[in-house]
Amino acid sequence: MYTTNASRGLPRHRSRYPAERYTRWALRALTAALVLATLWLVVAFHLRGQWMFALLFLVLGASLAIVFGKRQLMSHRYIFPALAGMGVFVIFPLLYTIGISFSNYSSSNLLGEERVRAQFLDRTYQAEGQAFDFRLYREGGQMRLYLEAPEAGREGTRHLVSEPLAEAEGGQPLAVRPSEAAPAGEALGLREVIARRDALEALTLVTPDGTELRMSGLRRFAPMLSRYQENADGSLTDRRDGTTLTPDRETGFFVTDDGERLTPGWPVAVGLDNYTRIFTDPDIRGPFLQIFVWTFVFAGLTVAFTLAVGFVLASLLQWEQLRGKAVYRTLLILPYAVPAFISILIFKGMFNQHYGEINLILEHLFGISPDWFTDPALARTMLLIVNTWLGYPYMLLLCMGLIQSIPRDLYEASAVDGGGPLTNMVRITLPLILKPLTPLLIAAFAFNFNNFVLIALLTGGKPDILGASTPAGTTDLLVSYTYRIAFQDAGQDFGLAAAIATLIFLLVVGLSLLNLRLSKVKV
Amino acid sequence: MAMVQPRSIRARKLGAHLALLGFVSLVVFPLLLVISISFREGNFATGSLIPERFSLEHWALAFGIPWERPDGSVVQPPFPVLLWLWNSIKVAVVSALMILALSTTSAYAFARMRFSGKAPILKGMLIFQMFPAVLSLVALYALFDRLGQLVPWLGINTHGALILASLGAVALHIWTIKGYFESIDGSLEEAAVVDGASTWQAFYHILLPLSVPILMVVFILAFIMSIMEYPMASVLLLDEDKLTLAVGAQQYLAEHNQRWGDFAAAAVLSGLPITLVFLLCQRWIVGGLTSGGVKG
């Protein structure tokens, strides 16, 4: 352990070697460039109104400038990159998640209020007047629309042909004029119309009498009007029936006079709503508690089973008189060496109802064919079997390492007293390795508590719990439940997912503090 | 030992061998089965471990070569497995190198320097490392979504985002390398500093060359962890040609269109190299995994 001049705050001499001086200047320039790049991000995020991200990069840029600017913080320069990585990709997402848990951020409340308002103002409705079927004609490089009224028009023209579509660049209205014949060239099929849908939807056609036509369906153009009108107080008026929509900034929705909410809304802070929903809404509380209990059972049983298998195997393998231990050891840690996402999928195929080898064997031997994926109890059993297969090698390796450190003379003494192998295992080996093993068991518990990959790849949480208002399955762990609420199916409820994630964070903090205390980490 | 052994010991040894062999065969069965299935004809073939009707169809498809069936129909490869494998390796190599760089420099500071906040930072890292990334996926998605609007190569559906997101998981590696650095005597570096070397020169020219083994271990560990990473890749990557193997492979066993045979060939093709790397380096990896956790 030594301290440098720099960290004592002593001045550094100008280097005698030009190469070193140039390197120093290059490093300073690099730091400055990085700081400037971060500042650019800060400004850009700020201009977009995303203050959370602006703040994140402001903190990042400022700490970068301070750590690399002050010579007293020489040592901190070495740890800064790693800390910045953890800060941006672990700690910031964690805080952001906790923040989301107090909001109603979801797929129905996704965009900001201004964007929602703009969406409402973009809505149109079909006004009174003649609608036309249309076809798109291509002649050379030019495209024209050919409009045809389905029934003989009361007020006149039946057929209209537009100017070439290229003239409508930049949102100009496009003139259409009466014509008896279809334009020259070939009519395009529906598939090509769909391919140009965005361009067509942006078109406004103007007939000779001044009516504006817009696309109202894949085959139709009709006179369309904006549905909503913005009022000075921020409310919207529906032009069709005159109802008023007032923005409710408590709930984040536009509401009509009789209290009906219109989607989409925008995210607002809702306080503890998400948490109260977890504990009071029966459609959420029921599945949540069931999944909560199963998560503990799953993690506990996994640790118990993997430890039991790993410990017994380790005790066998440390028997000096047994030959071929190296071969056994290599074969036994194979499940650890094969990437988990491959072995989990292998089991998914093997447990398959129809062609899976496991059911074929069971059918052959006992004449039974269990429904591994549709029966909740069997699906849970399957998860535990697969996870024991995946997880015991780690315990085996840990136990083998720890058994090595037990003094041999304890076993000799036991042999003198006439102790058999079973006595040795239960009375000597187990008690001696259990203490150093405990923190690792807690870590393994925490890992399996959050074993998302297994659930996602093997069962996807299915079979589903009946009567749940959020996607919830009987084999879901809390993490996969959170993932499904946030990313699957309709109604992605980020707020609720974040609230459950926050609860898991608290549990994990508890576990890791316990772990830290038990393992007596020396820093 | 050339001793005459009592009969009971011999019987016990036989029993132990039988038990071990039985367990080993249970463990290895799924792996052998997959190799066997990859050579069977058709996607739902059943039968003994040694295929009765041998076919290279699944292997050809896994390598991306269209396969012509005896009846003349041509089967196109369902998924770009080699591309996925290449994506995985690309992401894993880059992120492992970056993780190595970040964790080595900070491990050096933690092992050799005295500075304010060292103990709380180290402990804090241990705690934060236990949070699974799955839980903050919404936040990570939002972060890269916004970032991508400003810096396109860091947006959603880019490998840049995935690589960057993996840089959060450095705590374990820092602890592993720090433990190794502390086992090396610091007097060499002190001598260098006395002779006028800067801390960086002492680190780069003296300590690093001495620590190549642990750097290899950490690189391989980070590489394997990145190959196996599933949750972040499943959210950050969208297009089929961008997917990594971990996310893509599950498409073989999708709900309504299960291609068991094709999956088997792809699984062996992509899983074998990773398994071999692990087994070849197992001595160092296991040491790193277990000691890093135990001693701290």
Side-chain angles (χ1 to χ4, degrees):
Chain A
M1 193 79 75
Y2 49 82
T3 23
T4 57
N5 276 358
S7 48
R8 289 197 203 99
L10 298 177
R12 183 168 63 179
H13 298 290
R14 186 167 178 271
S15 173
R16 270 172 297 165
Y17 308 102
E20 200 177 330
R21 289 209 300 269
Y22 293 140
T23 338
R24 280 182 192 165
W25 277 109
L27 283 175
R28 277 171 210 161
L30 183 69
T31 315
L34 280 175
V35 171
L36 283 178
T38 348
L39 283 182
W40 175 72
L41 281 175
V42 173
V43 174
F45 276 125
H46 178 72
L47 289 180
R48 286 159 179 256
Q50 289 153 350
W51 60 270
M52 281 274 275
F53 297 98
L55 192 65
L56 166 70
F57 285 100
L58 186 65
V59 171
L60 188 68
S63 48
L64 183 75
I66 293 173
V67 168
F68 283 87
K70 281 184 76 141
R71 294 205 43 234
Q72 282 86 345
L73 297 178
M74 192 68 192
S75 315
H76 292 85
R77 291 182 192 180
Y78 287 89
I79 60 169
F80 181 79
L83 287 189
M86 282 197 86
V88 178
F89 301 114
V90 179
I91 298 173
F92 170 76
L94 201 145
L95 296 176
Y96 191 80
T97 307
I98 296 175
I100 293 176
S101 76
F102 296 105
S103 79
N104 65 349
Y105 191 43
S106 64
S107 59
S108 64
N109 299 58
L110 196 61
L111 303 167
E113 187 185 341
E114 288 314 307
R115 299 270 298 276
V116 171
R117 185 183 298 275
Q119 275 187 10
F120 273 101
L121 291 174
D122 270 354
R123 290 193 188 175
T124 53
Y125 72 101
Q126 186 172 339
E128 293 287 313
Q130 180 86 39
F132 294 88
D133 289 343
F134 78 90
R135 284 211 270 178
L136 197 56
Y137 279 82
R138 176 161 56 197
E139 185 195 9
Q142 287 193 334
M143 307 252 236
R144 286 170 193 272
L145 281 168
Y146 177 53
L147 305 179
E148 185 177 20
E151 66 271 0
R154 290 179 300 275
E155 64 245 49
T157 40
R158 256 201 96 178
H159 300 279
L160 293 165
V161 170
S162 76
E163 297 295 314
L165 295 196
E167 288 181 17
E169 289 295 322
Q172 296 285 329
L174 196 65
V176 287
R177 52 192 163 68
S179 155
E180 278 315 306
E186 40 150 358
L188 300 183
L190 193 59
R191 179 188 295 254
E192 290 182 81
V193 172
I194 292 174
R196 293 177 176 76
R197 189 176 177 164
D198 287 344
L200 290 174
E201 278 179 346
L203 276 183
T204 312
L205 306 180
V206 185
T207 60
D209 59 0
T211 320
E212 289 192 351
L213 301 175
R214 288 211 195 119
M215 190 172 169
S216 67
L218 271 180
R219 295 169 191 279
R220 284 170 82 78
F221 265 79
M224 305 291 278
L225 289 176
S226 296
R227 184 167 163 187
Y228 294 101
Q229 188 181 10
E230 192 168 15
N231 303 323
D233 62 346
S235 62
L236 303 176
T237 307
D238 191 333
R239 282 199 183 128
R240 288 196 309 182
D241 46 15
T243 49
T244 315
L245 305 181
T246 33
D248 182 350
R249 297 199 168 84
E250 295 276 300
T251 59
F253 284 102
F254 277 110
V255 284
T256 60
D257 291 336
D258 36 332
E260 191 194 344
R261 289 179 186 178
L262 294 181
T263 50
W266 59 93
V268 289
V270 293
L272 289 169
D273 265 14
N274 290 315
Y275 296 93
T276 37
R277 270 169 75 202
I278 297 175
F279 293 112
T280 55
D281 183 343
D283 287 346
I284 297 177
R285 186 183 52 191
F288 175 80
L289 286 179
Q290 193 182 335
I291 291 171
F292 188 83
V293 171
W294 161 241
T295 308
F296 270 90
V297 171
F298 170 80
L301 285 182
T302 298
V303 172
F305 290 161
T306 50
L307 178 64
V309 175
F311 175 68
V312 170
L313 287 174
S315 310
L316 268 178
L317 285 186
Q318 58 106 38
W319 192 8
E320 278 145 16
Q321 298 180 23
L322 202 67
R323 280 202 215 147
K325 276 185 288 200
V327 181
Y328 282 130
R329 184 173 179 273
T330 309
L331 287 174
L332 284 173
I333 66 164
L334 260 184
Y336 202 37
V338 179
F341 67 90
I342 287 180
S343 33
I344 293 171
L345 289 174
I346 291 177
F347 275 105
K348 186 175 179 181
M350 279 177 57
F351 275 103
N352 187 286
Q353 204 75 35
H354 308 295
Y355 58 82
E357 305 283 334
I358 289 182
N359 270 15
L360 291 178
I361 293 171
L362 288 179
E363 180 99 56
H364 193 70
L365 291 182
F366 308 107
I368 51 168
S369 173
D371 299 333
W372 294 107
F373 287 93
T374 43
D375 183 273
L378 284 172
R380 288 172 170 175
T381 316
M382 171 178 74
L383 282 176
L384 284 172
I385 295 175
V386 174
N387 210 22
T388 307
W389 188 91
L390 288 169
Y392 83 83
Y394 180 65
M395 294 293 176
L396 169 67
L397 292 169
L398 288 181
C399 290
M400 280 172 67
L402 291 170
I403 287 176
Q404 296 284 314
S405 61
I406 297 177
R408 293 292 99 182
D409 40 348
L410 284 179
Y411 295 104
E412 277 164 31
S414 148
V416 170
D417 287 348
L422 206 62
T423 326
N424 285 347
M425 202 162 107
V426 181
R427 293 285 171 81
I428 302 177
T429 319
L430 194 58
L432 278 176
I433 67 168
L434 213 50
K435 194 155 179 269
L437 206 54
T438 316
L440 292 158
L441 292 182
I442 295 175
F445 182 87
F447 173 79
N448 284 298
F449 193 86
N450 295 315
N451 198 336
F452 172 73
V453 181
L454 177 73
I455 308 293
L457 291 183
L458 194 56
T459 65
K462 292 184 180 73
D464 280 338
I465 297 175
L466 298 176
S469 61
T470 49
T474 42
T475 57
D476 261 327
L477 300 182
L478 283 173
V479 264
S480 60
Y481 180 50
T482 330
Y483 179 87
R484 287 174 74 182
I485 293 177
F487 290 104
Q488 260 187 12
D489 304 328
Q492 306 179 320
D493 198 338
F494 301 124
L496 183 66
I500 299 176
T502 309
L503 293 180
I504 308 179
F505 282 143
L506 292 178
L507 280 168
V508 173
V509 173
L511 282 175
S512 40
L513 285 178
L514 182 67
N515 198 353
L516 217 54
R517 165 163 293 192
L518 283 175
S519 56
K520 296 197 189 71
V521 176
K522 285 193 296 289
V523 185
Chain B
M1 270 184 277
M3 274 193 303
V4 179
Q5 293 172 347
R7 184 173 297 249
S8 75
I9 293 258
R10 251 185 290 168
R12 258 195 263 158
K13 263 161 76 175
L14 189 67
H17 275 294
L18 282 180
L20 278 173
L21 280 176
F23 193 81
V24 163
S25 55
L26 258 183
V27 163
V28 180
F29 173 70
L31 305 175
L32 293 181
L33 182 72
V34 163
I35 297 177
S36 152
I37 286 170
S38 73
F39 288 109
R40 286 182 195 165
E41 204 172 46
N43 257 329
F44 303 101
T46 52
S48 65
L49 267 185
I50 296 153
E52 291 128 16
R53 301 179 65 189
F54 187 81
S55 153
L56 283 176
E57 175 183 345
H58 303 310
W59 279 90
L61 293 179
F63 276 106
I65 308 162
W67 177 262
E68 192 179 335
R69 291 232 172 97
D71 60 4
S73 60
V74 176
V75 191
Q76 291 298 325
F79 301 112
V81 186
L82 287 182
L83 181 67
W84 288 345
L85 187 60
W86 167 238
N87 285 344
S88 281
I89 291 176
K90 202 166 57 178
V91 169
V93 166
V94 177
S95 74
L97 283 177
M98 292 179 77
I99 286 176
L100 190 61
L102 294 192
S103 42
T104 313
T105 45
S106 19
Y108 173 62
F110 283 126
R112 290 284 195 262
M113 295 175 185
R114 245 188 297 254
F115 52 88
S116 57
K118 180 170 150 182
I121 292 177
L122 271 172
K123 279 192 179 169
M125 285 197 320
L126 268 195
I127 293 178
F128 281 116
Q129 165 220 305
M130 285 180 83
F131 292 112
V134 204
L135 291 176
S136 32
L137 278 182
V138 174
L140 281 172
Y141 184 89
L143 175 63
F144 284 107
D145 185 39
R146 311 292 197 282
L147 208 53
Q149 291 165 7
L150 299 171
V151 194
W153 53 274
L154 285 182
I156 297 295
N157 204 16
T158 60
H159 291 150
L162 191 57
I163 292 171
L164 214 54
S166 70
L167 296 187
V170 285
L172 184 76
H173 304 305
I174 293 179
W175 276 89
T176 312
I177 304 178
K178 173 179 163 278
Y180 190 88
F181 281 170
E182 279 166 350
S183 72
I184 297 178
D185 190 18
S187 50
L188 263 180
E189 294 146 67
E190 272 176 50
V193 170
V194 168
D195 285 348
S198 66
T199 34
W200 173 259
Q201 285 166 331
F203 165 62
Y204 189 77
H205 292 295
I206 294 173
L207 189 57
L208 270 196
L210 288 174
S211 332
V212 173
I214 197 72
L215 300 185
M216 291 289 292
V217 170
V218 168
F219 176 80
I220 293 166
L221 268 182
F223 178 84
I224 289 178
M225 279 173 160
S226 167
I227 291 257
M228 306 228 250
E229 205 288 327
Y230 174 80
M232 281 197 290
S234 78
V235 167
L236 292 181
L237 303 177
L238 307 172
D239 294 345
E240 187 175 90
D241 60 337
K242 284 278 168 53
L243 296 186
T244 59
L245 201 61
V247 190
Q250 60 168 328
Q251 297 195 0
Y252 277 105
L253 298 181
E255 194 94 23
H256 299 295
N257 184 17
Q258 305 212 333
R259 303 163 172 275
W260 187 214
D262 293 340
F263 166 74
V268 178
L269 170 69
S270 50
L272 208 57
I274 302 167
T275 311
L276 286 181
V277 167
F278 191 100
L279 286 180
L280 285 177
C281 313
Q282 59 157 307
R283 179 168 310 166
W284 302 288
I285 294 177
V286 167
L289 272 184
T290 46
S291 74
V294 184
K295 285 187 295 187

